[in-house]
Amino acid sequence: MGINIKSFLDLKKNSHLLLISGAAILVGLLVGIVDMIFGIVLNTLTAFRETHFLYLIPFLFLAGLLIVFIYDHFGGKSIKGMSLVFDVADEREVTIPKRLVPLAIFSTWLTHLFGGSAGREGVAIQVGAALSHAFSPVFKFEESSRSFLIIGIAAGFAGLFQTPMAAILFALEVLVIGRLELSTLLPTSLAAYTASYTSQLLGLKNFTHLIKVHMTLNPVLFVKFALLGIIFGLVGTSFAYLLRKTKLSLILRFKRPYQRIMIVGLLLSVLLTAAGMGRYSGLSTDLVTASFAKGTVYPFDWLFKLILTVLTLSAGYQGGEVMPMFTIGATLGAVLAPLFHLPIAFVAALGYASVFGSGTSTFLAPIFIGGEIFGFENIPYFFIVVCFASIVKKQISVYGAQKVTA
């Protein structure tokens, strides 16, 4: 009896898919637990900093020196952060050191405790990628390394933000601008949902704010959405561009990392104190809340958050770029809404999603972020705004090692 070669190959491929799917569930469980611990401790440290801001902010430069010391003596390749994840995906590097997990977590806690303006998802993504990639040597098949990176990115993002659909799409499209990595869709989905449910069940709270708007799409409204998309796209791209240029400028100006982080850390202590007594420190979740709850949002809030986050991350402090982009987009949207005669919370939501999409050069992820956080009935509006945001120089991203399709 002859052997059907095609059926045999399909059987082998399906067995690989089954095995990697099982591993993906385990990855999701592990990453969800780590995300929960990281997120809850970060929230506790944030609350402590807000209560004792004036006692902590003068020592931001010392926290920076400690971060540089730790990475200098124990980090190895981990110092590359997100760039290492992209390098492994492109086979410029082979492994992600497991030491990256505690180093990234602890250094981000330090950054937030002492008032640096930064996000948190960068750590979650790096940790997810590192833990997931550790499984890849067990599976000897083509693209196993890349597949487990994608699985880990999705798990890290989903475990922290509890937006599994957006996390799946973010992981599938972030490695290469303009390409969707659908070959790992099933295991990536399993990892993302497992991580999201795990962190949620263990007590990590997520942000949701359902928005109900009653409007009929017409040519005038479409033009408003287009203009908002272009503005949000320009801001997201500007954030990515300034982050890249400022990092390079500081590296060239201050050859020694200790000197760089000490001088910029002292400057940040002054600026963060003068600009609202820590209003722009850490995640600045109060600004996000104000944008959706008719709180006080100043016309310059989005710009101050942008500049101070660029300085913090360029100096060498740890954290992430996504949460600051959410804040920048939400506060900018709250400022623009009256000019466009649209509901404030609604435009803040559009900015929340589309500045993130523009800054990371992703398209589907921000649309689904909008749906999962603000309500899926608003998806058509997010789609239009993100479409126009994405036309603004999408090759510039907060991730310097991100590739672009030919």
Side-chain angles (χ1 to χ4, degrees):
M1 183 172 62
I3 298 176
N4 188 321
I5 299 298
K6 186 177 184 300
S7 297
F8 175 76
L9 291 175
D10 287 343
L11 179 63
K12 185 176 180 180
K13 182 178 179 180
N14 289 334
S15 65
H16 282 155
L17 182 61
L18 184 62
L19 288 171
I20 197 173
S21 295
I25 294 173
L26 181 57
V27 167
L29 182 64
L30 291 173
V31 174
I33 293 171
V34 174
D35 275 357
M36 178 275 298
I37 295 170
F38 167 68
I40 288 179
V41 172
L42 184 63
N43 291 340
T44 303
L45 294 175
T46 297
F48 183 81
R49 184 200 69 238
E50 290 173 349
T51 306
H52 304 87
F53 175 76
L54 286 177
Y55 296 102
L56 293 169
I57 193 65
F59 302 102
L60 179 59
F61 80 97
L62 286 178
L65 291 174
L66 179 56
I67 290 169
V68 172
F69 176 83
I70 291 171
Y71 273 96
D72 190 33
H73 286 76
F74 308 106
K77 293 179 181 178
S78 300
I79 197 171
K80 297 172 71 175
M82 276 298 296
S83 293
L84 180 61
V85 175
F86 286 96
D87 286 346
V88 172
D90 296 332
E91 299 182 342
R92 292 191 294 269
E93 295 284 357
V94 178
T95 60
I96 302 176
K98 296 179 183 63
R99 72 187 79 171
L100 178 146
V101 175
L103 291 179
I105 289 174
F106 181 68
S107 59
T108 300
W109 283 343
L110 278 176
T111 297
H112 283 262
L113 175 61
F114 289 94
S117 178
R120 56 182 180 170
E121 84 300 324
V123 176
I125 293 171
Q126 292 175 49
V127 168
L131 292 175
S132 181
H133 195 260
F135 285 79
S136 63
V138 179
F139 297 85
K140 304 295 183 182
F141 64 89
E142 189 178 0
E143 294 290 311
S144 64
S145 174
R146 190 179 185 88
S147 295
F148 274 99
L149 279 180
I150 295 170
I151 289 167
I153 291 170
F157 195 107
L160 196 61
F161 291 114
Q162 293 166 11
T163 53
M165 285 185 281
I168 293 161
L169 292 165
F170 179 79
L172 294 178
E173 63 181 327
V174 74
L175 290 180
V176 181
I177 298 172
R179 189 172 81 190
L180 204 59
E181 308 262 1
L182 290 174
S183 60
T184 59
L185 178 59
L186 176 59
T188 299
S189 301
L190 291 171
Y193 275 99
T194 302
S196 178
Y197 290 144
T198 299
S199 66
Q200 185 176 27
L201 288 172
L202 293 176
L204 184 62
K205 304 297 183 182
N206 64 325
F207 170 70
T208 56
H209 186 88
L210 296 181
I211 294 174
K212 294 187 180 297
V213 291
H214 304 283
M215 56 181 68
T216 302
L217 191 61
N218 55 51
V220 173
L221 190 57
F222 187 90
V223 170
K224 288 182 179 182
F225 287 156
L227 291 174
L228 283 169
I230 292 169
I231 293 170
F232 292 139
L234 287 169
V235 171
T237 301
S238 297
F239 176 75
Y241 177 81
L242 287 173
L243 184 61
R244 186 178 302 186
K245 290 297 182 180
T246 305
K247 281 182 180 179
L248 180 60
S249 177
L250 289 177
I251 289 171
L252 292 175
R253 186 172 182 82
F254 304 106
K255 301 295 184 182
R256 296 190 301 173
Y258 289 99
Q259 183 187 30
R260 179 168 65 247
I261 207 162
M262 184 180 74
I263 292 174
V264 179
L266 288 169
L267 175 63
L268 281 168
S269 292
V270 174
L271 294 176
L272 287 163
T273 303
M277 293 289 288
R279 183 177 177 86
Y280 309 103
S281 289
L283 301 175
S284 299
T285 50
D286 287 348
L287 291 178
V288 176
T289 301
S291 300
F292 295 103
K294 297 182 180 179
T296 301
V297 177
Y298 299 115
F300 49 77
D301 275 338
W302 68 273
L303 182 59
F304 280 14
K305 183 62 180 176
L306 186 154
I307 292 170
L308 291 167
T309 301
V310 165
L311 282 174
T312 299
L313 297 178
S314 298
Y317 291 97
Q318 298 298 306
E321 302 87 359
V322 170
M323 192 62 209
M325 285 189 286
F326 288 159
T327 305
I328 292 164
T331 50
L332 177 59
V335 171
L336 292 175
L339 303 178
F340 284 80
H341 302 288
L342 292 170
I344 291 176
F346 176 59
V347 183
L350 295 175
Y352 186 102
S354 53
V355 169
F356 154 66
S358 180
T360 57
S361 291
T362 55
F363 177 72
L364 295 173
I367 294 172
F368 277 81
I369 276 280
E372 289 184 284
I373 294 179
F374 304 109
F376 282 98
E377 61 268 31
N378 300 312
I379 283 283
Y381 310 129
F382 285 107
F383 184 88
I384 296 169
V385 175
V386 172
C387 271
F388 281 92
S390 69
I391 67 175
V392 183
K393 199 66 176 177
K394 66 179 182 179
Q395 290 81 6
I396 297 176
S397 167
V398 293
Y399 306 124
Q402 203 174 18
K403 291 180 65 177
V404 184
T405 51

